Amino acid sequence: MSATQPAATIAAPPEPGLLRRIGSTLTRFARRSPLSAFWGVVAAAIVLVAVFAPLIAPQDPLMANFRQMGKPPGEAGLFGTDQVGRDVFSRVIHGSQTSLAVAAAAVLLGTTSGALWGLACGFFGGRFDNYSQRAMEFMQSFPDLILAMAIAMALGAGTGTVIVAIAITRIPFGGRVIRSVVLSVKEMPFVEAARGLGASNRRLMFRHILPQCVAPYLILATAHLGVAIIIEASLGFLGVGIPPPTPTWGNMLADSLNAGLVPPWWLVLFPGLAITLTVLAFNLLGDGIRDLLDPRLRGSV
């Protein structure tokens, strides 16, 4: 670079127009659906707690203290202690990290795979579509928890196994929804015009049709996140999920059964409350995103 040439900008500042558009979108979302915006803030807070769990948790979730076994809330901690003296509050916080990470990975893998499968089914049609729909119907004939439990038991316990098991249950839902969108979009004039200009099938699928599927994909991913959390907690409660000592909300509920004939109320209440609030937050946030992105529902919000 010559001496007279101005130095290149190392890091360009964020575009003001982009920040304004993001702010206006969030403001419009909060005005149209205040309830969904509130639960969106709750979901964001839960995600932040999961990300910064090592900094927020006051104690090591795996550290046992036999002098504080089975203490109720207030005596040995904010949420009490379990049967071996571990801090329940710290375990709930670290459990959010594991449960959300597993659910997010499973939904991302399953919904994306199903969406790409549905894109191919809707675009190509024919025998491929017919055979694919029968396969999806076969997968949907099993209850989600039963199918995930069977896969987890067949593959063995582990974090990766749980992610794959939950992801497989999400594939047919993403596939059928995206397929219905593709069937309507591929007949639109702009797709026909691109085909008439000689666009290849790959360009038609990924350049013209796939962008129209982003909105339903986001709605599916947000709504299915709550379902994935419930399945992960259920697998942990049944003993076929992530094995101990990794703290998850399902494992904590299962451990409460070993505390006695009648489990202490705090060992059941706080993990169950965490599951309920998280699932409710993501479900209502998904409903709000659906209402915002669906033109047919914008006027009714």
Side-chain angles (χ1 to χ4, degrees):
M1 184 175 62
S2 63
T4 59
Q5 184 178 358
T9 303
I10 298 177
E15 183 183 355
L18 177 61
L19 298 178
R20 283 197 298 268
R21 287 196 297 269
I22 295 176
S24 62
T25 301
L26 294 177
T27 303
R28 185 169 66 251
F29 177 70
R31 289 178 178 177
R32 290 182 174 180
S33 184
L35 182 62
S36 298
F38 168 76
W39 287 108
V41 173
V42 174
I46 294 173
V47 172
L48 290 177
V49 168
V51 171
F52 297 103
L55 301 178
I56 299 175
Q59 298 182 22
D60 185 352
L62 305 179
M63 183 178 64
N65 186 355
F66 297 105
R67 296 181 179 180
Q68 300 289 341
M69 294 189 303
K71 296 294 183 178
E75 295 186 13
L78 185 61
F79 289 174
T81 59
D82 62 6
Q83 65 272 20
V84 294
R86 295 174 296 190
D87 183 57
V88 176
F89 179 66
S90 300
R91 289 180 62 78
V92 168
I93 291 177
H94 279 270
S96 67
Q97 190 177 51
T98 305
S99 297
L100 286 179
V102 169
V107 169
L108 183 63
L109 176 62
T111 306
T112 303
S113 301
L116 294 177
W117 193 5
L119 173 65
C121 292
F123 184 81
F124 292 109
R127 292 185 177 180
F128 174 73
D129 184 27
N130 290 332
Y131 293 151
S132 297
Q133 295 310 303
R134 302 297 81 77
M136 292 183 185
E137 290 171 359
F138 177 77
M139 296 171 64
Q140 285 186 302
S141 64
F142 294 93
D144 295 340
L145 179 58
I146 301 299
L147 179 59
M149 185 171 61
I151 296 172
M153 293 177 64
L155 298 179
T159 303
T161 298
V162 174
I163 293 175
V164 172
I166 300 175
I168 291 176
T169 65
R170 301 298 93 203
I171 289 177
F173 296 95
R176 304 200 75 166
V177 171
I178 299 302
R179 172 183 175 270
S180 64
V181 176
V182 173
L183 288 176
S184 60
V185 171
K186 74 174 186 178
E187 304 297 336
M188 290 185 175
F190 71 92
V191 178
E192 295 294 336
R195 182 181 287 110
L197 291 174
S200 62
N201 289 337
R202 185 175 64 178
R203 184 177 179 86
L204 289 174
M205 292 172 61
F206 294 100
R207 182 68 181 271
H208 299 284
I209 297 178
L210 186 60
Q212 309 302 320
C213 303
V214 172
Y217 174 85
L218 293 177
I219 297 169
L220 280 172
T222 307
H224 286 180
L225 191 60
V227 180
I229 292 173
I230 292 179
I231 296 176
E232 187 278 328
S234 302
L235 293 177
F237 181 77
L238 295 173
V240 294
I242 299 175
T246 304
T248 67
W249 293 332
N251 287 347
M252 295 179 66
L253 291 175
D255 290 340
S256 67
L257 300 178
N258 301 324
L261 183 62
V262 179
W265 62 268
W266 59 90
L267 298 183
V268 179
L269 174 64
F270 295 116
L273 187 62
I275 295 172
T276 302
L277 288 177
T278 305
V279 173
L280 186 62
F282 282 105
N283 283 348
L284 293 179
L285 175 62
D287 290 342
I289 294 176
R290 178 201 60 192
D291 297 340
L292 180 67
L293 297 179
D294 193 341
R296 296 169 297 180
L297 299 176
R298 288 177 186 172
S300 62
V301 177

